[in-house]
C-alpha cells in the first residue's frame, strides 16, 4: 500500500529531476494515490508494464514506420485493453486520476495521453504532448514524417481541418489555429495540465480547500513554477489564511521574471500584512 507520505515523496523527487528524466506514468500514479491513499500502486505499475510488454511483442523493427507505430498503439491501448475517452461523464473527477482511469478504462485526453506517451517511449518512439487548448493531443515523429494523435478518440490521426473544428468546439467559433497550438510541452507541463483539470473542477464547485490540496501536490513536482505560488497565495488570502498567503506570495516574487507582477504582489503582501496587525 502507498501512503500519502510516500506519494508526496515520489512527487518531491520528480520536482528535483530534469524534465526529460520524468516518468510521466509513475508521477501520475503518485498523484492519483494522493486522492486514493493506501492503494497498492504496484498493481497499477504491473498493468502499465503489461501495456509496454504487449506493445514490445508486436513491434517489428523490420517493418517500422510512423503508420505502423500509430496502428500498434491503437491495437494495444484501445483494442486489446479497451481504453477510450469518457464522452458520457467527461467532468467526472475520476477521469483525471490515472488509478481510476486504469480501473475504468476511461479518462480525459491528458490522462489517456500519458498512457500513449509512456507506451510509445518504452519503444524508443519520439512522442510529445502539444500545447493545444482545451483538448490534449500528442505528436509522433518518425523518419521525417509527423502525425498528431487524439488519445481521447482512440488515438485517431488529426488533420488540420480536424484540429480547426476541434478548436472551435472547445474555444468558440471565432477561434483560429495558431502556431503556438502546435508547440510541444514539457513533461512537467503535461502533469500540470492533468492536475489543472482537477483543480478547476474543485474551484467550479467552490471547494477552495480541495483546490489548495491539488496546488500543494502541483508544487511538489513543479516547485519553481511561479503561477502555482501566486494562485496558492490568492486562494489562501481568500480563505483568510493570511500567513500562508504571504509566504506563498513571497515565494512567487522570488521566482517570477515579471517586474510588473513583482510590484503588484509587493503591494498585495503589504495589504495582507496590514490585515495581520
Amino acid at each position: 500500500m502507498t501512503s500519502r507520505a510516500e506519494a508526496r515523496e515520489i512527487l518531491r523527487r520528480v520536482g528535483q529531476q530534469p524534465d526529460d528524466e520524468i516518468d510521466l506514468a509513475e508521477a501520475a500514479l503518485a498523484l492519483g494515490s494522493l486522492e486514493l491513499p493506501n492503494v497498492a500502486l504496484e498493481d497499477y505499475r504491473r498493468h502499465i508494464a503489461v501495456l509496454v510488454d504487449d506493445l514490445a511483442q508486436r513491434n517489428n523493427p523490420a517493418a517500422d514506420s510512423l503508420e505502423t507505430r500509430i496502428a500498434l498503439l491503437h491495437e494495444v491501448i484501445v483494442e486489446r485493453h479497451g481504453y477510450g475517452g469518457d464522452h458520457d461523464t467527461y467532468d467526472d473527477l475520476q477521469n483525471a486520476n490515472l488509478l481510476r482511469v486504469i480501473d475504468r478504462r476511461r479518462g480525459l485526453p491528458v490522462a489517456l495521453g500519458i498512457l500513449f506517451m509512456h507506451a510509445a517511449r518504452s519503444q524508443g518512439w519520439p512522442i510529445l504532448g502539444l500545447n493545444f487548448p482545451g483538448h490534449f493531443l500528442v505528436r509522433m515523429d518518425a523518419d521525417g514524417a509527423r502525425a498528431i494523435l487524439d488519445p481521447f478518440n482512440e488515438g485517431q490521426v488529426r488533420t488540420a481541418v480536424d484540429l480547426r473544428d476541434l478548436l472551435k468546439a472547445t474555444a468558440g467559433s471565432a477561434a483560429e489555429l495558431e502556431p503556438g497550438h502546435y508547440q510541444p510541452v514539457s513533461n512537467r507541463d503535461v502533469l500540470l495540465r492533468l492536475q489543472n483539470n482537477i483543480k478547476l473542477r474543485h474551484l467550479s464547485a467552490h471547494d477552495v480547500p480541495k483546490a489548495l490540496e491539488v496546488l500543494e501536490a502541483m508544487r511538489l513536482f513543479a516547485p519553481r513554477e511561479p503561477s502555482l505560488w501566486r494562485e496558492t497565495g490568492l486562494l489562501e488570502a481568500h480563505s483568510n489564511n493570511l500567513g500562508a498567503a504571504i509566504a506563498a506570495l513571497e515565494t512567487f516574487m522570488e521566482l517570477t521574471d515579471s517586474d510588473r507582477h513583482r510590484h503588484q504582489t509587493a503591494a498585495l503582501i503589504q495589504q495582507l500584512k496590514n490585515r495581520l496587525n
Side-chain angles (χ1 to χ4, degrees), residues 176-209:
E176 293 293 344
L177 289 173
E178 300 173 6
H181 297 156
Y182 296 96
Q183 291 302 304
V185 295
S186 69
N187 289 322
R188 203 166 262 108
D189 285 336
V190 172
L191 295 171
L192 288 171
R193 188 156 175 167
L194 178 70
Q195 294 307 99
N196 265 325
N197 284 288
I198 301 173
K199 181 196 69 182
L200 291 173
R201 283 159 176 74
H202 287 317
L203 288 175
S204 295
H206 307 290
D207 192 340
V208 173

Side-chain angles (χ1 to χ4, degrees), residues 14-241:
V14 171
Q16 303 306 313
Q17 288 180 310
D19 193 83
D20 60 358
E21 293 180 10
I22 292 174
D23 183 330
L24 280 176
E26 177 70 6
L29 290 179
L31 287 165
S33 72
L34 289 178
E35 294 295 320
L36 299 168
N38 301 318
V39 168
L41 284 190
E42 204 53 48
D43 293 342
Y44 296 92
R45 290 174 179 136
R46 274 194 292 272
H47 172 72
I48 289 172
V50 168
L51 289 180
V52 168
D53 187 57
D54 286 348
L55 187 60
Q57 289 183 23
R58 290 163 173 76
N59 184 16
N60 179 6
D64 190 29
S65 68
L66 180 60
E67 292 75 15
T68 301
R69 294 176 182 183
I70 293 169
L72 288 178
L73 284 170
H74 180 273
E75 181 182 340
V76 170
I77 296 175
V78 178
E79 293 180 10
R80 178 167 174 75
H81 290 280
Y83 281 97
D86 187 347
H87 295 269
D88 297 326
T89 54
Y90 186 90
D91 289 326
D92 191 324
L93 282 170
Q94 296 181 100
N95 288 325
N97 182 316
L98 191 58
L99 306 184
R100 296 297 292 131
V101 170
I102 291 171
D103 290 338
R104 299 166 66 240
R105 300 296 199 268
R106 290 291 178 269
L108 290 177
V110 64
L112 296 168
I114 287 172
L115 293 176
F116 272 79
M117 293 171 76
H118 183 86
R121 288 172 176 176
S122 74
Q123 305 307 303
W125 300 344
I127 187 168
L128 294 163
L130 295 183
N131 189 40
F132 195 84
H135 191 98
F136 186 74
L137 300 167
V138 299
R139 190 188 79 202
M140 292 188 71
D141 297 82
D143 298 325
R146 174 172 290 180
I148 294 175
L149 311 185
D150 184 348
F152 189 73
N153 289 289
E154 301 184 340
Q156 292 178 18
V157 175
R158 291 301 190 187
T159 66
V161 173
D162 294 333
L163 295 177
R164 186 172 181 269
D165 292 343
L166 184 58
L167 180 67
K168 289 181 179 296
T170 57
S173 59
E176 293 293 344
L177 289 173
E178 300 173 6
H181 297 156
Y182 296 96
Q183 291 302 304
V185 295
S186 69
N187 289 322
R188 203 166 262 108
D189 285 336
V190 172
L191 295 171
L192 288 171
R193 188 156 175 167
L194 178 70
Q195 294 307 99
N196 265 325
N197 284 288
I198 301 173
K199 181 196 69 182
L200 291 173
R201 283 159 176 74
H202 287 317
L203 288 175
S204 295
H206 307 290
D207 192 340
V208 173
K210 289 296 291 183
L212 282 167
E213 285 183 18
V214 177
L215 280 164
E216 179 188 10
M218 294 166 82
R219 296 196 309 273
L220 289 175
F221 68 78
R224 300 194 63 77
E225 174 54 48
S227 63
L228 299 179
W229 293 98
R230 181 176 184 275
E231 189 170 9
T232 297
L234 295 176
L235 288 179
E236 293 285 18
H238 174 79
S239 302
N240 212 34
N241 300 323

Side-chain angles (χ1 to χ4, degrees), residues 243-257:
I246 291 167
L249 292 171
E250 287 176 341
T251 301
F252 168 73
M253 286 186 63
E254 294 172 5
L255 295 174
T256 185
D257 293 328

